Amino acid sequence: MTLLLGDEKYVMGDERTPLIAIVRTEAPPPRYPHNTLRRICTILLSIVPAVVITSVLLAIFFPSAFIGNETNWSDYGQIPSSWPKTSGVSYKTLQTILLETPSSEKTREWSKYYTSGPHLAGKNLSQALWTKEKWIEFGVENTQIMDYDIYVNFPVGHRLALLEKWNTTSRNSGKGSWKIKYEASLEEDVLEEDSTSGLEDRIPTFHGYSASGNVTAQYVYCNYGTYKDFEELLARNISLSGKIALIKYGAIFRGLKVKRAQELGMVGAIIYTDPGDDGNITEQNGYAKYPKGPARNPSSVQRGSTQFLSFAPGDPTTPGYPSKPGAPRMPVDHAIPSIPSIPISYADALPLLKALNGHGPKATSFNSHWHNGGLYYKGVEYNIGPSPEHLILNLVNEQEYVTTPMWNVIGIINGTIPDEVIVLGNHRDSWTASGAGDPNSGSAAFNEVIRGFGTALKAGWKPLRTIVLASWDGEEYGLLGSTEWVEDYVPWLKEATIAYLNVDVGTRGPKFEASAAPLLNKVLIDTVNLVQSPNQTIPNQTVGDIWDGRISTMGSGSDFTAFQDFAGISSLDIGFGNDANSPVYHYHSNYDSFNWMEQFGDPGFEYHATIAKIWGLIAANLVETPVIQLNATDYAKGIRKYVDSVKQKARSVTGHNGTTHKSLFSSLDAAVSRFHNASVAFDARASELMETLEKNPIPWWKWWEKVKLFLAVRKVNTKIKLLERQFLYAPGLDGRTWFKHIVFAPGKWTGYSGATFPGIVEGIEEGDESGKKKWVGIAGEKIEGAAEWLEE
């Protein structure tokens, strides 16, 4: 049926009409233009966030799958925003600041302050406060004073008299009266030209950690008082027990002279400086004495510590742990003498030496080591003695022992990587009112290094690594302030510290001197070639140009000891010393004064400024270079040399049994070879990373490449930072367990000079076969472990 409605025609359905009808209509117009493009964009915007979220989740939960298994993922959070460049101030600009800031005028100003009055350990709080305030003024706002309660002695009184029994007819019968033949002044002359020599509160001549006592006995001339000297005296049947030792300074640390005398039953020790050890610059050779000329003043006295430094530095009552209030205190017999000792001048020694003329053998009848006496022209024949029974010495030494605070000044410049740290240090205390060379030439230079850092900080510098600055107290007595601080913070120091950079005597002459752990050799050599020498014999001559290149091994005698030998932190010690033509340096005397320094030591204070430049630049290199500039191959070469030296000593002591020595050292040789190969490969990896950073900078948008490179650098830096620690042996050396390093320690009977592989050497020297084998085994294991550490 068809129905007409208006103009529209509709067909009505019937029983044959389909239930579903298809009505054809025109497609509607699109709602949006470019619909296909929009659809694609919608799909992409849905996928990209999903990919990013997935990547982030992978990076968080499976970092090795995303970036690689270079190191701990936690290191990613330590990437400085400016890495690998330094922040705020470029490395080159920082170097320029550290070269241009130190000035001779400023170092002179600081030297004048530090040498203007007594600053004995435990009695220099005013200088600690002044130093703190100066560092804050320079820009190191995080500076504080840290104190420790330390057991020390201060002088009360002393006397030395040569007594002669009168009434010669009854001398041998024990009768007769004793008269004073000579009374030693035990004072240094007050000089009109040297103002600090006459200060009312000047410090008396005395020995740190000497024992109180009043002894009267015959005496014996003992040369330098080395272990070998005493052995030669015993071999010549010289009676030592019950006698007083008259000993020359030199050769070994003074405390070990007293220690050996004590062990042999001697009851006292007197130590003097002989002009025979002053080289060519002597009165005998026509040079005027100080203050008129460069020769030694006859009344000068070397004060100093008699602690048994090579056995245990630091507070003798707290070996291995810090001297804090309430700390348990141990007996001190292991660390300091039980017999009295005093230092004297050669003017006071002269009558004692002359009184021995004709008594006992002459020094010239011993080996050449005994032939260095410089008072022959004064009538001394250098007879050994003992003095005859009618000539005796009365030695009185009165000391007050107390536990007193000592003050370290510690400044911190925080870096962006918190667990990579460089420590710089110098001690502040002195035996005298002056101490212009030791230590305050270093203190003056230190202020200029810090002033340079402050200038960079004010310019916006943010160091890559953290810098710790330390002005130590108590070094002179036995490395007290630094040792207690290291013992206090050793867990953190072992984890974080890359190196310790020490300057003790910044200058006492024109000759650059250095001792260092081999890891630091390269950065030291590179740096001295950047600094102009004050002595310009040719234009643009650097310190490196005139340096002989000798780098001594680390021994003891300064504040690096606890870092290197106890905590296993690579250390160096630098300064300008004497050469053959230098004026005599009055070590630990009143005449180590500002006047001596200005007249003879460093008249223009140019060497003070120069050591500050070298010191600051070494620190900057280690702080700012993305790949830490320590060199493992130099360590491997050093170890090979040290092992060869040990073998030579073994042959010299036990004979030329090649088969025996080859068998003994075969495992050690194999370990050394492996360590050398591992070191070369490791340094190659480090060098490749450094080259990539320098020559192939990563664009900002390749963030994953930057992360991957940072983690690779981080791994290398951690390896080299902790390499020195691989040579620590927790039980310590036999008989001196405080010393933990198996490669370096002070010589057991030298103190100052370093011994390499001390455990093996002591076994050889003492004829201890089991000890020798034990330490060869330990050394081999540690070197193998170090190789494995680098190979991982």
Side-chain angles (χ1 to χ4, degrees):
M1 178 185 295
T2 302
L3 182 66
L4 183 64
L5 295 174
D7 294 332
E8 299 288 333
K9 185 188 289 184
Y10 289 90
V11 178
M12 300 292 290
D14 57 24
E15 68 273 11
R16 291 184 295 275
T17 301
L19 292 176
I20 298 176
I22 298 174
V23 180
R24 299 187 182 278
T25 60
E26 184 180 351
R31 186 177 178 185
Y32 302 104
H34 312 295
N35 194 54
T36 302
L37 177 62
R38 179 177 178 82
R39 187 175 293 113
I40 294 170
C41 290
T42 300
I43 293 170
L44 289 175
L45 288 172
S46 300
I47 293 173
V48 169
V51 171
V52 171
I53 291 170
T54 303
S55 299
V56 170
L57 291 173
L58 282 171
I60 292 173
F61 295 105
F62 306 100
S64 60
F66 186 69
I67 294 176
N69 191 25
E70 296 292 343
T71 188
N72 292 330
W73 178 244
S74 60
D75 291 336
Y76 172 67
Q78 297 187 23
I79 304 179
S81 59
S82 63
W83 188 88
K85 295 182 180 180
T86 189
S87 178
V89 170
S90 71
Y91 179 36
K92 185 175 182 181
T93 301
L94 176 63
Q95 287 180 310
T96 301
I97 290 171
L98 295 175
L99 276 170
E100 293 180 352
T101 299
S103 75
S104 56
E105 292 81 8
K106 280 292 183 182
T107 54
R108 183 185 185 279
E109 179 183 340
W110 310 139
S111 176
K112 185 71 172 176
Y113 167 75
Y114 279 116
T115 62
S116 60
H119 43 290
L120 190 63
K123 293 181 178 289
N124 58 53
L125 179 58
S126 63
Q127 281 200 352
L129 292 168
W130 183 91
T131 300
K132 174 188 173 183
E133 291 165 4
K134 277 296 173 188
W135 291 7
I136 293 172
E137 178 186 315
F138 294 154
V140 184
E141 296 179 0
N142 187 4
T143 298
Q144 59 185 311
I145 293 176
M146 303 185 67
D147 62 295
Y148 295 92
D149 290 348
I150 298 178
Y151 181 74
V152 290
N153 65 303
F154 296 116
V156 176
H158 53 11
R159 186 211 187 189
L160 180 65
L162 177 62
L163 306 179
E164 183 177 24
K165 185 180 287 186
W166 283 32
N167 189 355
T168 56
T169 58
S170 59
R171 279 177 181 170
N172 295 331
S173 65
K175 298 179 180 179
S177 59
W178 292 97
K179 303 291 184 180
I180 297 174
K181 184 178 178 67
Y182 177 74
E183 182 86 36
S185 72
L186 305 181
E187 288 279 348
E188 294 174 290
D189 293 343
V190 174
L191 307 177
E192 183 179 348
E193 299 89 339
D194 194 331
S195 59
T196 54
S197 69
L199 292 177
E200 289 187 6
D201 58 351
R202 63 188 182 273
I203 300 167
T205 59
F206 79 108
H207 278 151
Y209 287 124
S210 59
S212 293
N214 184 339
V215 295
T216 303
Q218 296 167 265
Y219 62 103
V220 178
Y221 173 68
C222 301
N223 199 33
Y224 293 104
T226 67
Y227 193 95
K228 184 178 180 181
D229 287 340
F230 280 116
E231 290 300 292
E232 291 175 351
L233 289 171
L234 293 173
R236 296 286 290 269
N237 294 318
I238 304 298
S239 175
L240 300 177
S241 182
K243 309 296 191 300
I244 294 172
L246 176 59
I247 309 171
K248 291 193 298 184
Y249 273 116
I252 65 171
F253 183 70
R254 71 187 71 76
L256 301 177
K257 302 171 189 276
V258 182
K259 184 179 193 298
R260 189 57 181 153
Q262 173 181 305
E263 290 176 349
L264 295 174
M266 304 189 83
V267 296
I270 304 157
I271 313 179
Y272 80 99
T273 301
D274 193 294
D277 293 311
D278 287 339
N280 295 323
I281 312 300
T282 63
E283 282 192 278
Q284 184 180 6
N285 289 339
Y287 291 94
K289 65 186 179 183
Y290 178 75
K292 301 298 184 183
R296 179 178 300 280
N297 185 292
S299 72
S300 69
V301 178
Q302 181 192 137
R303 299 154 182 81
S305 175
T306 54
Q307 185 189 54
F308 304 157
L309 188 65
S310 59
F311 287 79
D315 186 332
T317 68
T318 61
Y321 57 94
S323 296
K324 292 183 173 181
R329 302 282 170 170
M330 301 293 110
V332 297
D333 295 347
H334 70 287
I336 63 176
S338 59
I339 64 172
S341 70
I342 59 171
I344 66 173
S345 66
Y346 83 73
D348 274 340
L350 193 59
L352 312 186
L353 291 164
K354 282 185 174 180
L356 287 177
N357 287 351
H359 301 289
K362 291 185 176 181
T364 51
S365 68
F366 287 73
N367 67 60
S368 60
H369 187 60
W370 290 71
H371 301 174
N372 296 332
L375 293 171
Y376 287 102
Y377 80 110
K378 294 283 190 180
V380 175
E381 297 178 5
Y382 289 98
N383 286 84
I384 304 302
S387 63
E389 292 183 358
H390 69 273
L391 281 175
I392 57 176
L393 286 175
N394 174 229
L395 166 60
V396 178
N397 186 48
E398 188 178 354
Q399 301 292 320
E400 177 189 18
Y401 273 87
V402 297
T403 299
T404 187
M406 293 194 184
W407 303 280
N408 295 332
V409 182
I410 305 294
I412 299 174
I413 304 173
N414 286 309
T416 53
I417 302 178
D419 64 346
E420 292 181 359
V421 176
I422 308 297
V423 185
L424 287 74
N426 158 265
H427 76 93
R428 187 181 62 255
D429 63 299
S430 171
W431 289 115
T432 67
S434 44
D438 182 11
N440 297 132
S441 59
S443 307
F446 202 13
N447 278 358
E448 287 299 271
V449 173
I450 298 167
R451 196 165 67 87
F453 287 153
T455 300
L457 289 169
K458 291 169 185 175
W461 176 51
K462 174 71 172 180
L464 183 63
R465 301 183 177 95
T466 293
I467 303 170
V468 176
L469 310 162
S471 173
W472 309 115
D473 196 3
E475 188 271 356
E476 293 292 7
Y477 276 85
L479 324 178
L480 304 180
S482 59
T483 298
E484 300 311 310
W485 188 80
V486 170
E487 290 173 345
D488 199 3
Y489 290 96
V490 68
W492 171 73
L493 288 167
K494 281 186 174 182
E495 177 65 26
T497 309
I498 293 168
Y500 173 67
L501 312 177
N502 191 67
V503 172
D504 190 330
V505 180
T507 180
R508 63 179 187 271
K511 182 182 178 183
F512 182 71
E513 298 176 337
S515 58
L519 284 175
L520 287 160
N521 286 359
K522 183 179 183 297
V523 68
L524 173 60
I525 294 168
D526 289 346
T527 302
V528 294
N529 290 314
L530 299 176
V531 180
Q532 296 287 293
S533 170
N535 180 20
Q536 291 284 318
T537 56
I538 58 175
N540 297 317
Q541 191 173 45
T542 68
V543 173
D545 291 331
I546 61 172
W547 177 38
D548 61 12
R550 184 173 184 270
I551 303 175
S552 301
T553 56
M554 303 302 289
S556 187
S558 195
D559 290 303
F560 56 79
T561 303
F563 289 89
Q564 181 73 47
D565 299 335
F566 182 76
I569 294 166
S570 300
S571 303
L572 62 72
D573 184 56
I574 56 174
F576 286 96
N578 304 71
D579 63 20
N581 298 314
S582 295
V584 169
Y585 175 59
H586 294 74
Y587 177 58
H588 287 181
S589 160
N590 273 346
Y591 309 137
D592 179 12
S593 62
F594 183 85
N595 180 77
W596 179 88
M597 184 62 73
E598 189 167 50
Q599 186 176 357
F600 294 107
D602 185 15
F605 286 82
E606 292 292 340
Y607 285 94
H608 283 67
T610 301
I611 199 63
K613 295 173 184 178
I614 296 171
W615 199 0
L617 287 178
I618 292 173
N621 183 310
L622 295 171
V623 168
E624 293 298 290
T625 308
V627 180
I628 299 170
Q629 296 299 289
L630 301 181
N631 190 272
T633 305
D634 283 341
Y635 211 147
K637 291 177 180 177
I639 284 179
R640 167 53 64 199
K641 183 175 67 174
Y642 307 149
V643 169
D644 290 344
S645 175
V646 169
K647 289 179 181 178
Q648 179 59 41
K649 177 172 283 292
R651 284 191 291 268
S652 67
V653 171
T654 61
H656 294 269
N657 189 333
T659 303
T660 300
H661 286 118
K662 185 176 181 180
S663 173
L664 175 64
F665 291 106
S666 59
S667 61
L668 184 56
D669 286 335
V672 172
S673 295
R674 180 184 175 188
F675 181 60
H676 182 270
N677 293 337
S679 296
V680 171
F682 177 85
D683 286 340
R685 291 201 305 275
S687 180
E688 182 180 350
L689 285 171
M690 193 66 190
E691 186 175 355
T692 299
L693 290 169
E694 291 175 341
K695 297 183 178 179
N696 300 295
I698 299 170
W700 65 269
W701 53 271
K702 286 190 176 181
W703 61 271
W704 61 92
E705 292 289 347
K706 182 176 181 180
V707 172
K708 186 175 182 179
L709 186 57
F710 175 82
L711 295 180
V713 170
R714 174 75 170 165
K715 180 178 181 180
V716 164
N717 284 348
T718 300
K719 291 289 184 183
I720 199 69
K721 176 182 74 174
L722 300 179
L723 179 59
E724 195 81 59
R725 258 73 101 202
Q726 308 309 307
F727 298 102
L728 294 180
Y729 178 63
L733 298 177
D734 294 338
R736 42 185 186 144
T737 57
W738 186 90
F739 290 93
K740 310 295 185 184
H741 207 295
I742 62 105
V743 180
F744 300 112
K748 187 174 182 178
W749 286 104
T750 61
Y752 283 131
S753 62
T756 53
F757 290 109
I760 305 174
V761 169
E762 287 162 25
I764 293 169
E765 291 177 339
E766 296 169 10
D768 181 358
E769 286 298 316
S770 62
K772 181 170 63 176
K773 291 176 181 178
K774 167 190 169 181
W775 283 102
V776 168
I778 291 170
E781 289 174 5
K782 288 296 178 181
I783 295 170
E784 285 278 357
E788 184 177 348
W789 171 252
L790 293 179
E791 291 165 350
E792 290 177 348

